[in-house]
Amino acid sequence: MNAAKHTAPPPVRVAIMIFLMASVPLTAAAHSLGTGQSYAPSGKKKCMYVVKKVHMKKKRVRVCHKVTPTPTKTPVTTTTSSSTGASQLFGNPQGITVGPNGNIYVSDGPMNRIDELSPDGSLIATFSSSGVLADPVGVKFDSQGNMLIANHGLDEIVKLSPTGDLVSTLHLDRPTPEQSDHPYGIALDARGNIYVADHQHDDIRKLSPTGVPLARWQGSNVPPLSGPRDAAIDSRGDVYVADTENSRIVELDPNGNTLRSIGGPGVGAGPGQFYEPFGIAIDAQGSIYVADQGNNRIQKLSPALRPIAQWGSPGHNPGQFLYPSAIAVDTHGNIYVVETKIPTASGLEGNGRVQKLSPEGAPLAVWR
């Protein structure tokens, strides 16, 4: 290996590079484009070195400023007829949940926001915040109606009030054992404890309602969890994990011990087999719904992890799927599926939409 590739550039060149970085506005959009070094957590100071002339000489000067986010909930008075495709509703939907008010909440990663939709798909409001949301993915509600968001772009969990105000930010920083790098899915139990699917470190993190680390689970069976993308919790407190890179669903007890699993390791296309499952949800009867991304379908399982039904095939029509990545179920049993666009060599590929299905899996609406 040529050692010259690892030598530092000349000092003047370094100063110029840092100066250019300092001139970039600190926006949430910048984070999603990979300029995370420009970000400082809420209320903390961001410092950088810039080149200034001091007494006719160039010197590197340390400049600090405080980053203050401005959370907002923006009501929408003109709704989009999303089922007809009259205009684009989402940049690229990532996660989904049903709120305590029965409305649907969709995380839109590239737009750095959460969209609130009525059950018929009308856009009601958007939750966004400059410097707070960056590539949000998983989203859930606690018993007080606060929204908890897996802020994937900044490796943290953000809590917003029902009006969109910032309640708290749970920074899960490295290198402590409790840190969570790239939180993806999120779930809450009856006591308000938070469960984070950390696909980077192959585990589920359990936090208290205030963000105190409680446990870190990789499952007690072999192989351990690998790249989990989502979790859901039943009425007993058991945790069901979309063990994505093992292509299986794993059930853990409230202490993190493995109770049972279905699918994997290894991919498959038959009932009860999976190809990189991403999203998971549980209905009021305890049935489990899985966004089986690689197979472009939805699978329904019993509480004992036995296959009940499967719906979908690859395609663009209603009832067909391309890269289903998140799933939610409302109190009527209706199913909501996010289809995320994924990057390919030729650009983003996929449907980039939300589908609403009946409890029997029949397509009811398409929102995009």
Side-chain angles (χ1 to χ4, degrees), residues 31-189:
H31 306 152
S32 63
L33 295 175
T35 55
Q37 296 298 323
S38 298
Y39 174 79
S42 168
K44 295 185 178 180
K45 289 184 177 181
K46 173 64 182 178
C47 299
M48 62 192 72
Y49 287 94
V50 298
V51 177
K52 290 187 177 182
K53 282 187 177 181
V54 181
H55 300 301
M56 301 304 294
K57 292 182 179 180
K58 288 184 178 180
K59 290 188 177 182
R60 294 171 72 241
V61 180
R62 191 168 186 258
V63 177
C64 299
H65 63 275
K66 189 174 182 180
V67 177
T68 304
T70 54
T72 58
K73 176 183 178 181
T74 306
V76 177
T77 55
T78 304
T79 59
T80 301
S81 180
S82 52
S83 295
T84 65
S87 61
Q88 186 169 339
L89 181 61
F90 308 114
N92 191 14
Q94 305 281 337
I96 193 167
T97 195
V98 179
N101 56 5
N103 290 334
I104 316 304
Y105 295 78
V106 180
S107 60
D108 194 338
M111 305 302 291
N112 298 312
R113 72 185 188 199
I114 308 296
D115 293 326
E116 180 183 1
L117 310 176
S118 69
D120 66 3
S122 299
L123 182 61
I124 297 173
T126 61
F127 294 77
S128 61
S129 183
S130 176
V132 173
L133 297 183
D135 194 18
V137 185
V139 55
K140 290 292 187 296
F141 283 86
D142 66 16
S143 59
Q144 286 77 45
N146 297 310
M147 186 190 308
L148 286 94
I149 304 162
N151 210 22
H152 186 261
L154 295 176
D155 301 339
E156 64 191 13
I157 305 301
V158 171
K159 182 186 289 190
L160 301 182
S161 73
T163 58
D165 297 318
L166 180 63
V167 176
S168 61
T169 301
L170 310 181
H171 294 284
L172 310 172
D173 296 325
R174 290 173 288 182
T176 64
E178 294 78 19
Q179 58 86 19
S180 181
D181 197 4
H182 299 310
Y184 211 90
I186 188 170
L188 285 86
D189 65 19

Side-chain angles (χ1 to χ4, degrees), residues 278-295:
F278 258 63
I280 188 167
I282 299 177
D283 67 15
Q285 288 71 46
S287 297
I288 300 144
Y289 300 79
V290 180
D292 189 2
Q293 187 179 86
N295 286 319

Side-chain angles (χ1 to χ4, degrees), residues 157 172 180 183-186 194-198 203-205 207:
I157 305 301
L172 310 172
S180 181
Y184 211 90
I186 188 170
I194 305 162
Y195 299 76
V196 182
D198 181 358
D203 56 26
I204 299 296
R205 307 296 175 95
L207 310 174

Side-chain angles (χ1 to χ4, degrees), residues 96 119 289-290 297-299 310-312 317-321 324 326-330 332-339 353-367:
I96 193 167
Y289 300 79
V290 180
R297 66 183 180 183
I298 303 303
Q299 289 204 62
Q310 61 182 38
W311 308 299
N317 296 324
Q320 294 183 312
F321 305 100
I327 191 165
V329 185
D330 67 18
H332 303 290
N334 296 310
I335 305 158
Y336 302 84
V337 181
V338 165
E339 298 174 74
R353 65 187 182 182
V354 173
Q355 288 201 62
K356 180 178 181 179
L357 311 178
S358 73
E360 295 75 33
L364 298 177
V366 177
W367 309 330

